[in-house]
Amino acid sequence: MDYVKIKINGKNYKAKKDETVLDVCRREKIRIPTLCFCKDLLREAVCRLCLVKIENRLVPSCATKIFSGMEIITEDEDIKKSREINLELLWSDHAGKCVKCPKNRRCELQDLAEEYKIENFNFVPRREELSDKEEIKLLKENKLRVVVDEKNPAIKRTTEYCVECRRCINICPVRSYGFNHRAGDVIVGTPYEKTLDCLFCGQCVAHCPTGALTDQNDLEKIEKKLDDLKILAVAIVDLAIFESLRNEFPEIKNSFDLVKILRGIGFEKVFNLKYGNKFYVEKLIGELKRKRQKKILFNGNCIAFERLIKKYYPQFEKNLSQTEIPDELLASIIKKDYANRKKINRQDIFAVSLSPCVAKKSKKYENLDAILTVREIGRIFRNKKNEMDKTERNIKAGFDQLIEAEEICEDIKLEKSGGTKEAVFSKIEIKKYKGVSFCGIKDIKKKLNEISKGDARYDFFEGLICPGGCLNGGGQSRNLKD
Amino acid sequence: MKKNIKIITKHWGKINPLRIEEYLKEGGYKALEKFIFQMRPEEAIQEIEASNLCGRGGAGFPTGKKLKMVAERKEKEKYFICNLDESEPGTYKDRMIVKNNPQLLLEGLIISALTVGASKAFIYLNGNYEEEKYILEKALAQAEKEKFLGEKILSSGYNLELKLFFGAGAYICGEETALINSIEGKRGEPRMRPPYPTEKGLWEKPTAVNNAETIANIPWIILEGGKKFATIGAECSPGTKLYILSGAINNPGVFEAPTGITVRQLIKEIGGGIPKGKKFWFAQIGGASGVLAIGKDLDAELTFSKNCLIPLGSGSVLVIDKSVEIYDLLFSWSDFFRRESCGKCLPCREGTFRLNEIIQRFEDGKISQRDKKALGQILWSLENTAFCPFGKFVAKPFQDALEKLDIFKNV
């Protein structure tokens, strides 16, 4: 690797040749604020907040490659001024909306406004300076520009909170979003502002810095059910959420803490999904063994993948696995066997899956009542925090047991890339079957096209749309500092 | 200084733009013949470099240097684009070239495209230029019939496919990377640079984007030699330039004159002075995004040099007399920029919007001290932090108005 010497704020640093200024500064822990920048995504350099000074010119650090002998200044009067003005410009039509925003306290713009102490609104007129007519006109114009999409089952979109950072445009695997209109009227939207009908992988929600893209859900109803004493609220926890949950609650150290928090929110029973995973794999093996030769079987636990097949590869629709997702399998066990055993009325059980997935929301289930993403758990927790502190209940820790021997039930990790394939193939005669697994839209599409043409033949195909599998799922909570 | 030299406007009004025969009778396409039969592409680029011709779109980048950069690239596929998206308010020189002598433009375009080794060229035409589209389509068909275009040009080894691309009438598409995006079918907004279009332009291939007026100079340079061209006009950016005179002037229109001319000469000698009873206030040079020249700037020489007091820009001269309400003018700028910003980067998207609001309040007489400060901040941010040159363009006339006209004097 070639190294070059550069100077940042007068100090010498060594850096790799292809790095950008921001890369070096992040590594060396030199603070540079960013908004449109997000790890691994295309660097568009549109927010103009990460500006640094090189050769007396302000340049965006996220997209400026370093060269030998470069002298970089990251803090001075001009840089501070530019950040303050640009942030204030952005903040001026954003102010006052935080309280009702679902991302309140988990918002990158809010953090930046706090960091740079954006308190003035120099760019908007004061109320006393406006006549009533003008005020109504202003309000109308603002409302006219807002597009709200609540009709689709998984992703709630409102351009009111949008900061046009373009992350969603760049992350979307099927290119659902784009810029509509021009200049101040610009909004990020779908073609002709039609309701979103994509894969619902939720990567856009996970990457949105503000509250423009959030999870679609009736949180009020769910919270009511959780509080209702007559109803047994059951949480089905996919442990793939554990690491990301720590972005919402840094105090969580192990699964005991997790269960404790869930009980605090109001879940009476908390089950581990691994029992459902076990069932799922068993059923999938059954399907694999039953299938006719030469026919390929696609996994069905990634709903976004299922939607991809149905929408863009209808020729494979018959090959999709008919097995329900693990969450639903476990919910059906809870609502049938468990309810019978404990003599609880089926209607009184409210089964919620806590999942790293947004796409699961797009389906209707017989037994599963709701899907909550990590972000939503965090939100419910923040809503309830005050009452919870008052009623420090004696909370029993640890997962509930669905069957007596559940603890020794093996832990199958389906969330990993290739996890399902591994689990299935560890239990069958490997020689007889040929399986592959892919995650990320690029690889999946490439392989599906090959299979369509007849260039490749497999028995089992596992596809996960989110890059890196469910661990990077659309429902996970992101570390806002990345 | 030879004032009567005519390079672009030589045949204007004398030939029928819809008939190639008339252009041929006047010695048209001789430069192309000379280029094909007597020159190698490198020699042609050397001539253009010797001429010191610089881009007439406004930025003034040396044309020879740009062509050389593309010509030296090793990629097989290269593109040449003629920028005819002229959308600067008050500028209509390129459309006059098309209306009066489209074959001159085509000749220059074919030569320049062949020098860089492009096998495909585009004319990016402003979406509002319906009539010019008709003329160009005719001209293209005629040139193709005469074997100046297409495969085996004049029975030589050169091939060139020339396509007319009709834009949708966006100001920002005059910026070369936005223009390239537009041809690719993407949203018309500027791209990040580097990489520059000369390295990765249209469909990631080396691309030269040149203004129509620049291209129209090429046949003369090929025929008469670059050295001769370099003696015309100002030393730093030689040649002639099309000036567009409008506003309070007796004789408005498009005129060809050497570079290095002063605003006073333009108004008095070419424009015939200011109408009787009107009093000169200032002149805006170079479209809506141009600088303002007040009385003391009138004798400054107009060139493309970065150090000159009044840069030429697109070459338009809008003369404003004292009867004009400054609010109307400010609002016409701010409203134009508010509509035409592409909305890609934060300072420009939000800045032009707020700028327009402030100017509206200024017009209503409701401007406060806070607004004045805010205006300064927005202009500073536009100038220093915007993604593409558009931000600087927006800020320029307002900064000049604040500085030179002192518009807030009475507030």
Side-chain angles (χ1 to χ4, degrees):
Chain A
M1 186 67 76
D2 288 345
Y3 284 93
V4 291
K5 274 183 190 163
I6 57 168
K7 255 186 184 175
I8 304 176
N9 297 334
K11 263 168 114 186
N12 287 318
Y13 290 95
K14 243 167 78 183
K16 282 173 226 152
K17 225 178 170 183
D18 263 350
E19 280 181 310
T20 64
V21 175
L22 186 68
D23 294 337
V24 183
C25 288
R26 282 274 160 104
R27 197 181 54 233
E28 302 291 349
K29 303 252 156 28
I30 298 166
R31 170 77 181 144
I32 291 179
T34 53
L35 186 61
C36 69
F37 166 85
C38 192
K39 228 175 34 175
D40 306 331
L41 281 185
L42 182 73
R43 297 173 182 197
E44 298 247 30
V46 294
C47 74
R48 314 309 276 182
L49 293 178
C50 70
L51 297 176
V52 293
K53 221 180 212 176
I54 293 161
E55 286 164 3
N56 225 3
R57 272 182 59 216
L58 293 175
V59 294
S61 62
C62 64
T64 307
K65 290 242 165 83
I66 56 160
F67 54 81
S68 184
M70 192 183 220
E71 285 184 30
I72 305 155
I73 299 169
T74 63
E75 292 289 344
D76 78 352
E77 277 300 306
D78 279 353
I79 295 168
K80 194 168 166 250
K81 189 175 166 190
S82 75
R83 285 173 190 164
E84 279 174 0
I85 295 175
N86 286 344
L87 261 176
E88 197 182 320
L89 276 170
L90 203 55
W91 195 237
S92 27
D93 66 356
H94 215 95
K97 295 175 181 170
C98 288
V99 184
K100 58 174 181 161
C101 174
K103 283 254 186 92
N104 193 10
R105 301 272 112 212
R106 287 283 298 161
C107 168
E108 289 176 50
L109 181 64
Q110 201 179 29
D111 292 350
L112 281 173
E114 244 164 60
E115 186 185 336
Y116 282 86
K117 301 195 177 57
I118 306 299
E119 292 153 346
N120 309 318
F121 298 100
N122 286 328
F123 301 126
V124 282
R126 301 286 184 269
R127 188 167 224 163
E128 66 265 19
E129 289 164 7
L130 290 170
S131 65
D132 289 352
K133 240 187 195 168
E134 279 168 322
E135 201 183 327
I136 290 168
K137 195 180 146 230
L138 259 180
L139 270 174
K140 257 189 188 165
E141 272 173 10
N142 282 338
K143 284 285 168 224
L144 268 179
R145 297 199 291 157
V146 172
V147 173
V148 180
D149 176 8
E150 284 173 318
K151 281 184 198 136
N152 75 73
I155 295 168
K156 190 171 157 189
R157 197 163 66 83
T158 154
T159 59
E160 200 175 356
Y161 303 115
C162 180
V163 291
E164 288 93 12
C165 69
R166 294 182 172 231
R167 286 187 196 171
C168 52
I169 298 177
N170 290 322
I171 194 83
C172 182
V174 287
R175 307 222 162 251
S176 299
Y177 302 109
F179 261 24
N180 293 342
H181 308 290
R182 292 206 285 225
D185 301 329
V186 126
I187 48 168
V188 174
T190 54
Y192 308 103
E193 288 306 344
K194 282 187 178 159
T195 290
L196 211 55
D197 183 28
C198 56
L199 308 182
F200 294 130
C201 70
Q203 285 297 328
C204 52
V205 186
H207 283 82
C208 184
T210 63
L213 292 164
T214 45
D215 306 287
Q216 180 74 274
N217 223 331
D218 196 351
L219 273 196
E220 228 169 89
K221 189 185 129 201
I222 292 171
E223 275 177 53
K224 223 181 234 169
K225 292 263 187 194
L226 291 181
D227 291 341
D228 196 338
L229 290 177
K230 276 186 212 148
I231 284 188
L232 185 78
V234 175
I236 298 167
V237 182
D238 187 343
L239 272 184
I241 66 171
F242 183 71
E243 275 305 317
S244 118
L245 203 64
R246 288 169 53 145
N247 290 326
E248 297 277 339
F249 316 100
E251 64 270 22
I252 292 186
K253 289 199 179 56
N254 48 38
S255 59
F256 286 100
D257 295 343
L258 163 69
V259 177
K260 212 167 164 182
I261 278 184
L262 292 178
R263 286 186 205 276
I265 290 174
F267 287 105
E268 276 87 8
K269 295 279 174 196
V270 182
F271 294 114
N272 192 335
L273 182 67
K274 66 179 181 181
Y275 197 47
N277 284 347
K278 183 176 162 259
F279 265 101
Y280 176 74
V281 171
E282 277 170 13
K283 286 201 162 193
L284 209 58
I285 291 171
E287 255 189 287
L288 194 62
K289 283 183 176 160
R290 278 199 307 278
K291 83 171 180 83
R292 269 181 287 130
Q293 250 187 346
K294 285 190 179 173
K295 211 178 147 197
I296 185 166
L297 181 72
F298 291 105
N299 68 319
N301 61 335
C302 180
I303 307 284
F305 178 63
E306 191 185 303
R307 286 183 69 86
L308 178 84
I309 298 269
K310 282 183 180 165
K311 237 182 132 173
Y312 299 99
Y313 297 89
Q315 69 268 37
F316 292 135
E317 206 182 320
K318 280 183 200 152
N319 300 29
L320 276 167
S321 153
Q322 298 300 312
T323 313
E324 294 284 356
I325 56 169
D327 316 55
E328 165 69 5
L329 288 176
L330 197 66
S332 81
I333 295 170
I334 292 166
K335 284 206 175 173
K336 284 171 194 154
D337 305 351
Y338 185 78
N340 276 345
R341 201 148 22 103
K342 299 271 174 181
K343 300 202 170 61
I344 310 169
N345 196 345
R346 204 185 128 88
Q347 269 81 44
D348 290 342
I349 297 180
F350 187 67
V352 181
S353 166
L354 310 186
S355 168
C357 186
V358 171
K360 282 176 186 167
K361 287 167 184 278
S362 68
K363 259 183 134 181
K364 286 253 177 308
Y365 303 98
E366 198 186 323
N367 300 303
L368 210 52
D369 294 299
I371 311 274
L372 284 181
T373 64
V374 178
R375 291 180 296 269
E376 286 171 309
I377 305 166
R379 213 178 131 199
I380 295 179
F381 181 74
R382 281 190 292 278
N383 285 351
K384 288 201 160 194
K385 204 172 173 208
N386 289 338
E387 347 166 4
M388 274 164 62
D389 287 345
K390 276 179 227 150
T391 56
E392 257 313 313
R393 275 185 288 175
N394 186 16
I395 293 165
K396 198 182 89 185
F399 281 109
D400 290 288
Q401 306 285 308
L402 204 53
I403 50 166
E404 260 168 45
E406 198 192 310
E407 254 176 6
I408 49 167
C409 162
E410 62 179 317
D411 201 3
I412 300 168
K413 288 204 166 15
L414 298 185
E415 68 269 17
K416 267 194 323 190
S417 160
T420 312
K421 188 196 134 203
E422 214 173 90
V424 169
F425 277 65
S426 68
K427 290 203 179 111
I428 52 171
E429 288 170 76
I430 301 173
K431 275 180 197 161
K432 258 171 94 178
Y433 299 97
K434 207 172 154 198
V436 276
S437 71
F438 292 97
C439 62
I441 188 86
K442 249 190 186 166
D443 294 342
I444 290 179
K445 270 188 167 174
K446 205 172 128 200
K447 212 72 202 170
L448 284 177
N449 290 339
E450 269 177 38
I451 295 170
S452 284
K453 278 188 209 146
D455 294 347
R457 212 197 68 73
Y458 300 103
D459 296 292
F460 180 67
F461 187 108
E462 182 201 349
L464 300 172
I465 293 291
C466 293
C470 305
L471 286 175
N472 281 327
Q476 303 276 39
S477 181
R478 213 162 41 86
N479 184 356
L480 298 187
K481 296 219 161 56
D482 270 352
Chain B
M1 198 166 16
K2 296 174 225 163
K3 269 192 185 152
N4 294 323
I5 197 152
K6 297 274 182 268
I7 293 175
I8 298 166
T9 56
K10 198 176 166 192
H11 305 302
W12 285 20
K14 290 177 195 153
I15 56 170
N16 183 348
L18 292 175
R19 290 170 58 110
I20 194 168
E21 302 83 27
E22 297 193 11
Y23 180 62
L24 289 173
K25 219 183 272 170
E26 294 282 338
Y29 282 101
K30 280 269 170 350
L32 181 65
E33 278 171 23
K34 184 180 174 190
F35 168 74
I36 286 179
F37 299 118
Q38 295 170 28
M39 281 173 130
R40 280 179 295 129
E42 305 88 70
E43 288 170 343
I45 289 181
Q46 267 169 21
E47 281 301 331
I48 297 168
E49 271 196 303
S51 77
N52 226 342
L53 172 68
C54 50
R56 297 296 195 239
F61 190 82
T63 309
K65 202 171 159 191
K66 193 189 269 179
L67 296 180
K68 201 175 174 185
M69 275 153 91
V70 179
E72 278 172 353
R73 300 287 300 188
K74 295 212 169 58
E75 282 91 338
K76 267 189 184 164
E77 246 173 280
K78 291 175 194 172
Y79 296 101
F80 189 90
I81 301 172
C82 165
N83 185 349
L84 230 161
D85 185 65
E86 200 172 45
S87 25
E88 190 71 54
T91 306
Y92 49 93
K93 59 188 174 68
D94 296 347
R95 81 189 293 184
M96 293 310 276
I97 295 176
V98 175
K99 270 187 167 175
N100 286 297
N101 195 353
Q103 296 296 348
L104 175 73
L105 176 70
L106 290 189
E107 188 181 0
L109 209 163
I110 296 164
I111 296 171
S112 339
L114 295 180
T115 56
V116 298
S119 55
K120 205 166 183 183
F122 291 89
I123 298 178
Y124 189 92
L125 193 65
N126 187 322
N128 302 313
Y129 285 2
E130 289 285 348
E131 196 187 336
E132 288 73 10
K133 187 186 174 198
Y134 171 77
I135 297 173
L136 274 175
E137 274 168 356
K138 276 243 153 145
L140 270 176
Q142 288 171 355
E144 214 157 317
K145 217 174 160 193
E146 299 281 340
K147 282 271 173 200
F148 296 131
L149 259 177
E151 275 177 30
K152 294 190 180 158
I153 297 171
L154 295 174
S155 313
S156 69
Y158 288 115
N159 305 316
L160 183 70
E161 194 188 338
L162 184 58
K163 272 198 172 169
L164 199 60
F165 189 94
F166 210 41
Y171 179 75
I172 194 68
C173 287
E175 202 274 348
E176 54 181 358
T177 53
L179 184 152
I180 287 169
N181 266 347
S182 172
I183 293 182
E184 285 184 10
K186 294 175 184 152
R187 193 181 144 83
E189 53 187 23
R191 288 184 188 174
M192 189 79 201
R193 15 175 171 192
Y196 292 91
T198 48
E199 300 158 32
K200 278 185 180 177
L202 190 61
W203 290 299
E204 304 276 291
K205 296 288 187 299
T207 307
V209 186
N210 281 14
N211 181 264
E213 193 192 339
T214 321
I215 293 169
N217 279 306
I218 301 285
W220 196 91
I221 293 171
I222 296 292
L223 274 180
E224 307 276 335
K227 278 195 186 128
K228 197 172 167 190
F229 188 88
T231 60
I232 308 166
E235 207 176 312
C236 56
S237 44
T240 61
K241 173 86 186 75
L242 295 183
Y243 295 95
I244 311 105
L245 306 184
S246 55
I249 201 154
N250 277 325
N251 193 10
V254 178
F255 304 94
E256 188 171 9
T259 57
I261 199 168
T262 65
V263 185
R264 195 188 295 281
Q265 280 172 321
L266 270 175
I267 296 174
K268 275 209 168 148
E269 291 168 24
I270 294 172
I274 292 163
K276 261 194 180 156
K278 293 200 169 175
K279 242 183 130 191
F280 175 82
W281 191 7
F282 62 91
Q284 191 178 24
I285 317 293
S289 62
V291 297
L292 307 185
I294 54 171
K296 69 177 169 63
D297 307 321
L298 285 181
D299 291 314
E301 288 192 349
L302 294 172
T303 66
F304 286 106
S305 152
K306 268 180 196 149
N307 309 322
C308 79
L309 190 65
I310 308 284
L312 237 172
S314 69
S316 79
V317 177
L318 173 67
V319 183
I320 307 287
D321 68 288
K322 290 233 159 129
S323 67
V324 173
E325 276 296 356
I326 189 70
Y327 315 118
D328 293 345
L329 196 63
L330 289 176
F331 186 72
S332 81
W333 296 336
S334 69
D335 192 48
F336 176 76
F337 291 130
R338 193 201 99 55
R339 270 183 288 122
E340 293 295 339
S341 159
C342 74
K344 181 169 181 168
C345 73
L346 191 161
C348 190
R349 180 183 65 236
E350 308 289 335
T352 51
F353 182 79
R354 298 292 169 199
L355 186 70
N356 192 39
E357 277 189 349
I358 292 175
I359 298 297
Q360 255 179 52
R361 287 202 287 278
F362 184 40
E363 202 176 357
D364 300 343
K366 281 186 185 163
I367 195 155
S368 63
Q369 285 298 326
R370 199 185 56 250
D371 283 335
K372 275 199 227 170
K373 195 184 150 211
L375 186 66
Q377 285 185 330
I378 291 171
L379 293 179
W380 185 89
S381 177
L382 276 168
E383 190 191 352
N384 292 294
T385 71
F387 186 92
C388 74
F390 184 93
K392 271 196 192 74
F393 291 168
V394 178
K396 196 72 214 160
F398 290 98
Q399 279 168 340
D400 272 12
L402 284 178
E403 225 173 82
K404 293 182 177 171
L405 307 180
D406 201 13
I407 48 172
F408 286 150
K409 198 168 55 192
N410 300 329
V411 178

